[in-house]
Amino acid sequence: MKSVLLIGLGRFGRHVAMQLNEMNHQVMAIDVKENRVNAVLPYVTNALIGDATNRAFVESLGVRNFDLCIVAIGDHFQNSLESTLLLKELGAQKVVSRAARDVHAKFLLRNGADFIVYPERQIGEWTALRFASDNLLDFFQIDHDNAIVEIPIPREWLGKSIGQLDVRKKYNVTIVALKKEKTLQYRILPSTVLEDPWKLLVLGDKNTILKQFGNSH
């Protein structure tokens, strides 16, 4: 269990709070708007109405005691920048800040952010890849180039073993799991035979996976 300071409770911040609650983390939530604070009360440990650009207020939160600080402010970049700077000046261990554009990310990093997230860009990319590709069922971006992608088993692979297909050498991807509904099978052996209705979770270069498996032929 981690202690998390969450600043900014718009739609993105509220969803972050809900997910952290499902993961059983302790969350202190902050926003200047009372209605936003009230909306997240069921999902957080504590919540305060306050201005995260006010040094005295932020100092009163004891930011050093949090394992993670998330600046989820999306409608006022200047406030996001000032909040990020204050958190680092006051000794925050790890600060994750939201950015809408690359120029915002540069300023946030210069002002102390340890990590940057791009919610709109990331969900936009996911939507395009998920629904414009015939065979891509889901994907999780690991870094700029690599992803774990869920795909159906190609028809020509059915009934063959992992060893026969030599997937890693021929296709430059790694099968990390088999998936059937909510069941995941991680024990993948050369003797594992691929059959419907299992799906594949493959790890590799995103563009390579899309080129080889993204569309029906």
Side-chain angles (χ1 to χ4, degrees):
M1 180 186 295
K2 291 186 176 181
S3 57
V4 182
L5 176 62
L6 175 61
I7 297 173
L9 302 175
R11 284 174 293 182
F12 172 64
R14 185 168 66 252
H15 283 293
V16 172
M18 294 167 68
Q19 182 61 49
L20 290 170
N21 176 64
E22 288 189 15
M23 299 168 69
N24 295 316
H25 293 308
Q26 294 183 329
V27 181
M28 166 69 81
I30 307 293
D31 200 280
V32 293
K33 296 184 178 180
E34 182 178 1
N35 64 315
R36 290 182 174 180
V37 171
N38 290 336
V40 301
L41 285 175
Y43 311 109
V44 300
T45 312
N46 295 292
L48 292 173
I49 303 167
D51 181 1
T53 67
N54 182 293
R55 188 179 188 90
F57 174 71
V58 177
E59 196 165 8
S60 72
L61 300 174
V63 299
R64 292 176 180 269
N65 298 320
F66 291 94
D67 299 306
L68 171 65
C69 297
I70 301 175
V71 181
I73 300 171
D75 45 1
H76 296 288
F77 174 65
Q78 184 64 31
N79 290 352
S80 177
L81 195 63
E82 291 181 23
S83 298
T84 298
L85 179 60
L86 270 177
L87 289 169
K88 293 307 287 189
E89 286 183 347
L90 295 172
Q93 297 181 43
K94 183 188 295 183
V95 178
V96 177
S97 297
R98 174 185 182 175
R101 294 182 286 173
D102 288 336
V103 66
H104 290 174
K106 290 178 181 179
F107 280 107
L108 288 164
L109 290 167
R110 289 176 184 173
N111 279 270
D114 298 296
F115 301 95
I116 301 295
V117 292
Y118 296 88
E120 292 82 5
R121 176 188 294 183
Q122 289 163 342
I123 195 62
E125 183 176 358
W126 182 91
T127 301
L129 291 171
R130 168 64 180 84
F131 294 103
S133 301
D134 298 332
N135 294 327
L136 194 155
L137 304 176
D138 201 357
F139 88 99
F140 174 75
Q141 190 90 18
I142 295 176
D143 56 28
H144 185 268
D145 297 315
N146 298 292
I148 295 175
V149 180
E150 180 184 346
I151 60 172
I153 297 174
R155 281 173 295 181
E156 62 271 22
W157 292 12
L158 291 171
K160 297 180 180 178
S161 70
I162 301 292
Q164 284 178 292
L165 294 166
D166 201 6
V167 174
R168 187 177 300 178
K169 183 177 180 180
K170 291 182 179 178
Y171 301 93
N172 202 30
V173 298
T174 300
I175 297 175
V176 295
L178 297 175
K179 180 180 178 182
K180 181 168 62 176
E181 296 178 349
K182 295 184 179 181
T183 301
L184 287 174
Q185 178 181 319
Y186 293 103
R187 192 166 183 263
I188 307 298
L189 303 172
S191 58
T192 300
V193 176
L194 301 179
E195 300 284 1
D196 274 336
W198 290 91
K199 305 297 189 293
L200 300 177
L201 295 181
V202 297
L203 167 66
D205 177 81
K206 178 181 63 180
N207 292 326
T208 298
I209 295 173
L210 287 172
K211 184 178 179 180
Q212 295 189 120
F213 307 109
N215 294 295
S216 299
H217 299 288

